[in-house]
Structure formats: C-alpha cells, structure tokens
Amino acid sequence: MNVADSELVEGLLQNQGYSPSQSLETADVIFVNTCSIREHAEEKVHSQLGRYHLIKKRKPEVLIGVLGCMAQSLKDDILENKPFVDIVLGPDSYRKLPEFLNRKQTIRNNQVDTKLSKFEVYDDLFPSRREGINAWISIMRGCDKFCTFCIVPFTRGRERSRSVEGIVREAKQALDEGFVEITLLGQNVNSYSHEGNDFHDLLEAVAKVHGIKRIRYTSPHPQDMTDPLLDVMASHQNICNSIHLPLQSGSDHVLKRMNRTYGKSHFIDLAQRIREKLPRVGISTDIIVGFPGETEKDFLETIDVMKTLRFDSAFQFKYSPRRGTKASEYEDQVPEKEKQSRLAEIIELQKLHTLERNETFVGSVEPVLVEKESKRSTTQWAGRTDSNKWVIFDKGNTSLKEIVPVEIKEAKGVSLHGKCIKKSEAA
Ligand code: 5AD
Ligand code: SF4
C-alpha cells in the first residue's frame, strides 16, 4: 500500500514539474512515506529521519516531509522534538503537497495536515509507476473492522471505495504503459463497495479488460470472502489462483478478543471450501503470536490450524502493542521471551509446510510469468506461478513479461526450480 501511495505522491509532484532525484544527496525535497503497523516499522522511520537530519544540517535549504500513517502519531513528537521536519501529511492529505511545498518557500513553520477524510480516494490522480510488470491499483482506502490489535482504522480512517470506471480506466492506462499484471489493493480489499458493485463485480470488470495477463488482489478479510467472489475467480483465467487469507490466531478465545468475527472451525471450513472451488490454489496467511492473554493452549490451537490447512506461505509476527488500540490496554500482555519462542516455532513449522506444498508441484507444468532476472544468475529468470510461487529457470528463448510453460523439477527453500518447455519459434 505504501509503494502505491508513494507512486501516487510521485505522480502528483511530477504534475507540478518536480522530478525524482537520483540520490538523497542531490535532492531538494526528501519525503519518507511511513507505516505504523508494528513498532519495528516505526523504528525504521525514526532512524531514516536521523539520516535526513544530518543532511539538513549540511544543507539547511533541503525540505523534509513525513507522509502517511505515522504522520498522525508523530505529529506532536515532530512539533516538539523534530523541528527539522518541514511537512507532515497524513494519508488523506497528499493533495496538499504542492501547496505546502510552495508555502514553505515563504513560511518557516512546519506545515501539518493529518485530517482523515470520509471521501478521499484519489480517483482522478494517476500514479507514476516505475517497473513494467506489476501495477498496484488502490481500489479502496481505510478500514471499518477494528481488530483490537490494529492501528489501521485510526491512521487510515473509514472505508471508502473508488468507482469501477475509475479503476478500469487506471487498469487500461497501466496496460498501455506496458504493465501486464494488476494487483488490486486495499486495507480490506474485498469489502470494496461502490454504488451497488461489490468486490466480485469489480474483479470481473477488471478481468474483462482485454490484454491483462494476470490479476491479483490483497489483502482480503475472511469475513468478506464470498462464494460469488470464488466463482468469479474460478471463471476467469487471468485472475490468479492465489488467496491471502489472514488467520491471525487459531484460538476461538483469542480470535474473539481480537474482534476478528470468525472462529477456528469457520476459518478451516472456509479454507477448505476455497480449495474445493479452486483446485491447486495457493493460500497464504498472516499469523500473530503473543496476543495479550494467549496461553500455551491458545498457541497450540494456532499450530493445529497450521497443521490442518498447511498454508503455502505465511507472514508471521509477534504482537506489537499499538497506542490507542484496545488490545494495547489489555492487562495480560505476553512476555517478550514467550512471544519470541512462539514465533520461532511457527516459522520453523511454516518452512516445512511451504516445502511440502511446493513439492506437490514437482513434475507438473506451470504457466509462469517471467518477471525478473534471478538474483543468483544472469542466465536465469525468476517468475511466479499463478498460485504465487517463485520459480527459477534458464532463460532460453523466453523474454520478460511472457507467460511460459515451466516443468517443475525441484522444490528448494521457498522457491521452485524448473525447465522452460516453450517450443522454439522455428519449431
Ligand atoms: N502486532 C503484530 N502484527 C500486527 N498486524 C497488524 N497489527 C499488528 C500488531 N499490532 C499484522 C496482522 C495483519 C498484518 C498486515 O500485520 O497480521 O494481517
Ligand atoms: Fe487492521 Fe486488517 Fe483488522 Fe482492518 S481488517 S483492523 S486493516 S487487521
């Protein structure tokens, strides 16, 4: 989401005649687009700001701005302790950027706007995108779910969706610019709703745009995972066979305190129904360990769901208390050491499951989108299956952006290795 927002800001600035600088040292203006989701993300911003402060000491004319989610929480800190920051803009205030930059030439005070909007979706702004494979398209903003651990509803405000027409227009434009894959984005992507159109209506409209090779979306909430959505996924070849389904916890007790609105057995049934409707679908998840009050027994319930479902991959986190959220006030916080050992345990377990799932692909032929050169070798490509697994294979006669058949030979670590069996042009 932050990459997409940065592209939006870049587009906005380019419209005003600004251009991206090649390095921090030569920049006239430096922005950091921030994330508040966990403490670690915030720490990274503080250390970046330390670096920018040094630049500002050497070049006082450089303007420094803090954008995005942390603007809200940093506002007071900045006004009090970080006078070197010139501009603070929350996620709904990016349009103010050109005005603030102009005003900053004459006014010395910090320029701050962190108001959240019920309407802002930046429907008319085109992001400036860099690479040519995947275009992120933000389709809705904000979240109304209020999971008790999560800061997003506070930093990003209420849910609001863009028009189907605006999104389709942006998809066509991305296609014209050479992008072949679209990823629809939202904090709560499948609770998209605009003038009677639900997420599955939007997904179908995008799937029908001629020429888009692949469509992905993230991140959905299990509560909004409907049968019509699975039907649309099953009936369009260009919608990838991959679903991110955040579990968070396998314990009913913890899920209730998280306000996740589903229980363990509902989640398992849902994942199994997804696998029935979409054979060979890749299912990834998010898991939090050490949520307040999580006992050893609760933790074992999470392990149990992992073992029952065997996710293809998972993002795993230690619970990080966020100021202002309900869970941060719960009194039964789990000790850091316990969180750490639970995290290590699920990371090891997930590694086994990822390998096990990947091994089921060995021997099959997968359509792989050629996305980039492999990090290990200049003679090999890296690309993804539509179930979202990375595959490494010799380049042969294939080029970037092509979807090619690759015979999977081996599952190693988190990726697959294969051999492209595309017939040569002459044959
Ligand atoms: N602590 C740890 N993980 C969190 N997430 C969101 N808030 C927190 C938090 N306070 C995780 C959830 C979510 C993912 C994007 O980040 O798993 O799905
Ligand atoms: Fe946060 Fe996602 Fe829950 Fe919304 S649905 S509160 S973004 S974890």
Side-chain angles (χ1 to χ4, degrees):
M1 192 52 123
N2 270 24
V3 172
D5 269 15
S6 295
E7 290 174 344
L8 196 69
V9 167
E10 192 173 322
L12 207 127
L13 289 173
Q14 280 181 356
N15 288 345
Q16 302 289 317
Y18 291 87
S19 59
S21 155
Q22 295 310 307
S23 80
L24 276 179
E25 298 303 321
T26 55
D28 300 312
V29 198
I30 303 174
F31 294 116
V32 55
N33 195 1
T34 62
C35 172
S36 295
I37 196 88
R38 283 171 295 277
E39 197 178 340
H40 182 60
E42 292 204 343
E43 282 163 1
K44 288 206 285 202
V45 171
H46 286 291
S47 68
Q48 283 292 78
L49 283 175
R51 280 180 67 201
Y52 302 162
H53 191 190
L54 294 178
I55 296 176
K56 181 111 177 173
K57 277 184 183 158
R58 274 187 280 119
K59 286 168 64 183
E61 69 281 10
V62 169
L63 293 183
I64 294 181
V66 174
L67 309 180
C69 287
M70 266 177 85
Q72 217 83 15
S73 57
L74 257 184
K75 189 169 64 180
D76 297 333
D77 175 36
I78 285 171
L79 294 176
E80 251 180 72
N81 309 315
K82 294 189 169 71
F84 64 92
V85 173
D86 301 282
I87 292 171
V88 182
L89 282 176
D92 289 345
S93 311
Y94 301 146
R95 283 183 204 272
K96 290 258 169 72
L97 206 47
E99 178 195 328
F100 275 23
L101 280 170
N102 289 338
R103 253 204 266 159
K104 204 47 214 178
Q105 317 292 337
T106 50
I107 300 175
R108 284 183 56 86
N109 293 352
N110 316 77
Q111 307 279 302
V112 180
D113 188 334
T114 58
K115 276 194 289 297
L116 291 170
S117 158
K118 283 195 185 132
F119 311 104
E120 182 61 273
V121 283
Y122 302 111
D123 208 16
D124 55 327
L125 291 182
F126 280 114
S128 157
R129 299 194 170 92
R130 292 280 166 89
E131 48 98 40
I133 304 284
N134 175 66
W136 306 103
I137 300 187
S138 168
I139 64 157
M140 57 84 68
R141 301 178 74 87
C143 177
D144 292 348
K145 293 274 194 292
F146 286 93
C147 301
T148 57
F149 53 80
C150 186
I151 192 85
V152 166
F154 303 97
T155 58
R156 293 227 164 216
R158 300 288 62 75
E159 275 179 16
R160 59 227 112 109
S161 298
R162 291 176 62 182
S163 65
V164 171
E165 300 75 45
I167 295 163
V168 165
R169 200 177 335 122
E170 195 173 323
K172 284 182 179 160
Q173 195 200 12
L175 204 61
D176 288 344
E177 287 171 353
F179 292 88
V180 290
E181 182 182 87
I182 299 286
T183 303
L184 303 177
L185 278 182
Q187 259 84 38
N188 218 313
V189 76
N190 55 341
S191 74
Y192 172 92
S193 170
H194 189 270
E195 292 180 356
N197 290 303
D198 289 336
F199 182 62
H200 67 267
D201 302 312
L202 171 73
L203 192 60
E204 183 144 55
V206 176
K208 285 181 179 162
V209 174
H210 184 70
I212 300 180
K213 290 189 178 171
R214 283 189 167 176
I215 302 159
R216 300 182 185 277
Y217 61 89
T218 200
S219 269
H221 190 292
Q223 185 191 320
D224 301 314
M225 211 68 216
T226 61
D227 279 323
L229 172 54
L230 298 178
D231 293 339
V232 166
M233 288 182 73
S235 56
H236 290 271
Q237 225 211 332
N238 57 356
I239 304 176
C240 286
N241 209 9
S242 156
I243 292 185
H244 186 64
L245 198 68
L247 167 67
Q248 313 298 5
S249 166
S251 150
D252 284 338
H253 162 242
V254 173
L255 286 168
K256 198 161 181 46
R257 287 184 99 206
M258 285 178 162
N259 190 31
R260 285 294 288 179
T261 71
Y262 54 83
K264 175 182 176 182
S265 65
H266 175 89
F267 187 94
I268 292 176
D269 290 350
L270 174 61
Q272 283 168 346
R273 201 164 77 244
I274 290 173
R275 284 197 175 133
E276 271 159 32
K277 283 208 175 232
L278 304 170
R280 297 176 67 72
V281 65
I283 301 185
S284 57
T285 197
D286 290 341
I287 298 175
I288 298 177
V289 294
F291 183 80
E294 184 190 70
T295 61
E296 184 63 24
K297 193 164 156 273
D298 293 319
F299 175 62
L300 290 176
E301 297 280 350
T302 300
I303 299 258
D304 186 49
V305 178
M306 291 176 75
K307 285 185 174 165
T308 306
L309 292 178
R310 294 173 135 71
F311 296 107
D312 291 81
S313 67
F315 298 99
Q316 293 145 302
F317 312 103
K318 284 186 285 185
Y319 168 68
S320 168
R322 307 282 68 215
R323 198 149 29 105
T325 59
K326 210 166 167 186
S328 69
E329 284 159 23
Y330 291 165
E331 282 174 3
D332 41 6
Q333 300 287 325
V334 173
E336 176 62 25
K337 223 173 114 204
E338 196 57 50
K339 286 190 205 173
Q340 188 56 50
S341 78
R342 288 178 190 172
L343 180 65
E345 191 174 334
I346 59 165
I347 288 176
E348 280 315 302
L349 183 63
Q350 184 55 49
K351 270 191 203 156
L352 291 178
H353 291 167
T354 298
L355 190 62
E356 188 187 292
R357 300 281 306 168
N358 286 357
E359 273 166 354
T360 66
F361 280 66
V362 174
S364 68
V365 175
E366 292 293 315
V368 174
L369 174 62
V370 184
E371 297 188 42
K372 58 186 180 188
E373 200 162 79
S374 147
K375 281 192 200 121
R376 295 263 172 85
S377 159
T378 54
T379 63
Q380 290 187 311
W381 290 130
R384 277 179 297 169
T385 64
D386 76 337
S387 56
N388 209 16
K389 294 176 188 297
W390 283 98
V391 187
I392 314 293
F393 56 98
D394 286 345
K395 287 182 179 174
N397 61 340
T398 60
S399 3
L400 281 170
K401 300 187 189 180
E402 254 187 284
I403 293 184
V404 294
V406 178
E407 188 178 341
I408 307 300
K409 300 282 189 192
E410 196 186 359
K412 244 204 288 193
V414 290
S415 48
L416 299 167
H417 292 252
K419 184 175 185 309
C420 178
I421 55 168
K422 178 187 161 192
K423 301 225 171 34
S424 76
E425 242 84 293

